[in-house]
Amino acid sequence: MSWMTVCDYHVLLPERGACALVDGEQVAVFRTFEGQVYAIGNLDPFSGAYVLSRGIVGTRGGEPTVASPLHKQVFSLVTGACLDDPGVRVPTYPARVVDGRVEVAAGAAIVEAAGERRLVDAS
Ligand code: FES
């Protein structure tokens, strides 16, 4: 697994997503009001459009979320699970801030299956 710099932390505005290409995958990157960064797949599985980075950030039950700008389904930024449809999930990627820059792990995705989260390293 390798970390890829996506952008400067200060240009990632709170609750406004950004889209990045990480290892050939479109990734939606978010910064919450609390300053935490999250990365999930940008593809909205309901519409088939790459729009989740333009979604509306919020919380549900204390969990940071994004609502698709198209059909408003809500996804957890932590697990990628669709909170409106338990059978649907988007990939999540490890994200961190180092020296004022946002980094997302390339070649890896956190996959949740059978209630267990694990890091899948494709590299
Ligand atoms: S400033 Fe353009 S992607 Fe970070």
Side-chain angles (χ1 to χ4, degrees), residues 24-107:
E25 301 289 329
Q26 272 202 36
V27 173
V29 185
F30 300 94
R31 167 184 169 184
T32 63
F33 273 130
E34 287 72 33
Q36 202 66 36
V37 292
Y38 296 96
I40 66 171
N42 194 31
L43 179 66
D44 174 6
F46 292 98
S47 65
Y50 288 88
V51 293
L52 292 185
S53 66
R54 303 207 305 266
I56 296 156
V57 176
T59 57
R60 195 180 275 187
E63 191 170 10
T65 58
V66 64
S68 168
L70 288 179
H71 302 306
K72 312 299 181 215
Q73 286 92 354
V74 172
F75 298 87
S76 166
L77 294 182
V78 178
T79 66
C82 179
L83 302 182
D84 296 319
D85 189 337
V88 178
R89 177 178 299 279
V90 296
T92 61
Y93 301 86
R96 67 182 185 184
V97 179
V98 176
D99 293 335
R101 293 194 182 88
V102 178
E103 296 183 347
V104 173

Side-chain angles (χ1 to χ4, degrees), residues 6-8 11 19:
V6 168
C7 64
D8 285 350
V11 303
C19 177

Side-chain angles (χ1 to χ4, degrees), residues 108-120:
I110 297 170
V111 173
E112 187 164 312
E116 185 183 314
R117 298 186 81 207
R118 62 198 171 88
L119 192 63
V120 179

